[in-house]
Amino acid sequence: MADLRAQYERLKPEIDKAINEVLLSTNFVKGPEIKKFEDELAQYLGAKHVISCGNGTDALQIAYMALGLKPGDEIITTSFTFIATVETMALLGLKPVFADVDEKTFNISPAEIRKRLTPSTRAIVPVHLFGQCADMEEILRIAEENSLYVIEDTAQATGAEFIFSDGKRKKAGTMGIAGTTSFFPSKNLACYGDGGAIFTDDDELARKMRSIANHGMQERYHYECIGVNSRLDTIQAVILRVKLKYLDSFNEARQKAALFYDEAFASCPEIIIPGRTENSTHIFHQYTIRVLNGKRDLLKKHLQSRNIPTMIYYPLPIHMQKAYRYLGWNEGDLPVTEQLCKEVLSLPICPEIEREQLEYIAKSVLEFF
Ligand SMILES: *Cc1c(COP(=O)(O)O)cnc(C)c1O
């Protein structure tokens, strides 16, 4: 789906040098490189604080913990996301409440959020799916009217920008009280293992997040709250420092590839290309089409026979997963999400994808129809 090897080869001298310096310094955990990366990412995002941690799942858990969310608190989120968004709520005893998504952008629908509000609602967790921001202007309005926290799951959208109706632009993850991201190798800003981060402009919340990520420790061996052990390795931090410099150009290359696909599929009546909104840039973590008339799985098979990998993000919504049946949701409760799960197909995309590859993939898709 993504050519990680080609990207490494492009950056090899810089990355190898950075890793070697860590090996010689023996600062494998913590140390000045972590702070440098956090400061550089904060500057890039326009966030006051970046707190690095072990992965994007931990980032969500630490954010929920630091905000003091309690068992039974209702959190409105999407059922059309990677499991981590919801799993971390379940682990803390929070109650995920699902709002259906917009069929064009795949993102949580503000109108559906409104329908799910109750006196127990404490937070909204939008996921900027596939690299495009959810409708943050409307989500922030709902949150303000109802005194709710907004925690943005930005794992697929690091570097995407939301554009408010007054023209103001903000980076994904910097609009709510907190944003979280992942540096898993396939993400837009990625390291060579696991990594994650939390963003916030709130000084006290940032202090609390740092403490929770470090066992709840305040001074050495004095614990103010129950925490976890979640750190970004120094080797991952120096890799990320190299890659952050290229993030915008990588995202632009993804946009170019997406445009090629868009044009290739524009006249195919059985494909719906990814919907765009004027309120957000789209950095194409995934290029995800909808295949109509029940032909998705056959197209997937056809592409497989042409040696083209594809993925289904996601085949079964969270509210219909066995582990989450206890929440009491049934098939039919989220019709748009359920329909999308039957139609979506993600095609290969990465900054290094070549024109020839795009042409071959597009031709193979079209010959199927
Ligand atoms: C990847 C991802 C995560 C989790 O990140 P990890 O680093 O793998 O723990 C969370 N939410 C979404 C939407 C993701 O895509």
Side-chain angles (χ1 to χ4, degrees):
M1 291 293 285
D3 194 344
L4 300 182
R5 172 78 183 251
Q7 185 172 100
Y8 171 59
E9 278 168 3
R10 245 168 99 182
L11 303 176
K12 191 173 185 308
E14 273 186 276
I15 299 249
D16 288 3
K17 180 167 172 284
I19 292 176
N20 268 307
E21 282 169 6
V22 178
L23 295 179
L24 292 170
S25 80
T26 71
N27 261 330
F28 299 119
V29 169
K30 303 210 164 123
E33 288 294 328
I34 298 287
K35 170 124 178 42
K36 281 186 201 159
F37 168 63
E38 290 179 344
D39 289 349
E40 284 163 3
L41 183 57
Q43 169 135 29
Y44 171 83
L45 293 169
K48 196 160 171 200
H49 304 277
V50 167
I51 298 103
S52 60
C53 64
N55 56 66
T57 307
D58 284 357
L60 287 158
Q61 181 174 338
I62 293 163
Y64 301 155
M65 288 170 76
L67 286 165
L69 297 170
K70 299 257 168 349
D73 285 353
E74 293 183 9
I75 318 296
I76 300 177
T77 190
T78 165
S79 182
F80 194 47
T81 177
F82 180 60
I83 198 71
T85 319
V86 173
E87 164 188 70
T88 40
M89 295 175 192
L91 276 171
L92 296 172
L94 314 179
K95 187 175 169 192
V97 174
F98 300 111
D100 214 344
V101 296
D102 177 87
E103 68 164 355
K104 208 178 115 199
T105 63
F106 311 143
N107 277 322
I108 194 165
S109 150
E112 296 297 319
I113 292 175
R114 284 190 190 278
K115 291 185 197 163
R116 304 293 183 196
L117 293 167
T118 78
S120 302
T121 309
R122 294 285 171 270
I124 306 170
V125 179
V127 177
H128 305 312
L129 202 72
F130 303 150
Q132 181 170 239
C133 293
D135 183 354
M136 288 304 293
E137 188 150 2
E138 201 50 34
I139 291 169
L140 292 173
R141 184 172 300 136
I142 298 170
E144 194 171 318
E145 286 168 8
N146 296 278
S147 306
L148 308 174
Y149 294 128
V150 175
I151 303 121
E152 300 167 72
D153 182 344
T154 311
Q156 302 187 4
T158 309
E161 269 184 336
F162 187 80
I163 304 139
F164 289 84
S165 47
D166 64 2
K168 221 180 262 164
R169 299 168 85 97
K170 281 202 146 194
K171 286 260 163 45
T174 65
M175 292 169 273
I177 182 80
T180 67
T181 199
S182 162
F183 306 124
F184 186 78
S186 64
K187 310 282 183 182
N188 289 44
L189 177 61
C191 58
Y192 293 158
D194 279 307
I198 319 160
F199 328 133
T200 185
D201 285 346
D202 184 313
D203 297 341
E204 174 54 22
L205 192 61
R207 192 198 61 77
K208 201 141 190 216
M209 287 165 170
R210 272 193 202 288
S211 163
I212 290 172
N214 187 25
H215 301 286
M217 193 157 90
Q218 203 169 18
E219 304 163 43
R220 185 165 287 248
Y221 304 128
H222 289 76
Y223 305 94
E224 60 166 349
C225 60
I226 297 172
V228 296
N229 172 23
S230 186
R231 304 184 273 244
L232 183 69
D233 290 344
T234 311
I235 285 181
Q236 304 303 345
V238 299
I239 293 164
L240 289 163
R241 286 192 70 201
V242 172
K243 292 223 211 165
L244 180 59
K245 294 185 290 182
Y246 300 98
L247 179 59
D248 283 341
S249 68
F250 286 165
N251 285 342
E252 280 161 27
R254 288 172 181 272
Q255 287 165 341
K256 261 194 202 142
L259 213 57
F260 180 93
Y261 280 142
D262 281 353
E263 282 165 13
F265 305 142
S267 56
C268 180
E270 293 187 277
I271 292 177
I272 300 181
I273 61 173
R276 314 288 212 285
T277 152
E278 287 171 5
N279 299 319
S280 175
T281 61
H282 196 326
I283 56 167
F284 291 97
H285 172 61
Q286 297 297 338
Y287 185 90
T288 303
I289 57 171
R290 291 170 60 189
V291 185
L292 304 182
N293 305 319
K295 293 185 183 166
R296 191 261 315 268
D297 294 347
L298 288 172
L299 173 60
K300 183 173 175 44
K301 243 194 201 144
H302 168 78
L303 294 175
Q304 208 162 10
S305 76
R306 298 287 185 274
N307 290 316
I308 297 168
T310 58
M311 290 290 282
I312 297 170
Y313 301 116
Y314 296 91
L316 192 64
I318 295 178
H319 71 282
M320 288 167 60
Q321 298 281 351
K322 184 172 165 220
Y324 295 85
R325 279 287 157 81
Y326 77 96
L327 293 168
W329 295 73
N330 293 308
E331 190 167 357
D333 288 342
L334 299 166
V336 180
T337 296
E338 291 165 27
Q339 185 67 24
L340 289 174
C341 287
K342 293 178 189 138
E343 294 177 347
V344 287
L345 190 66
S346 298
L347 303 178
I349 195 162
C350 66
E352 293 73 26
I353 197 162
E354 285 167 16
R355 177 96 187 181
E356 241 174 38
Q357 295 174 308
L358 289 166
E359 280 168 0
Y360 177 70
I361 295 165
K363 184 181 80 118
S364 305
V365 168
L366 293 172
E367 80 190 2
F368 169 81
F369 293 103

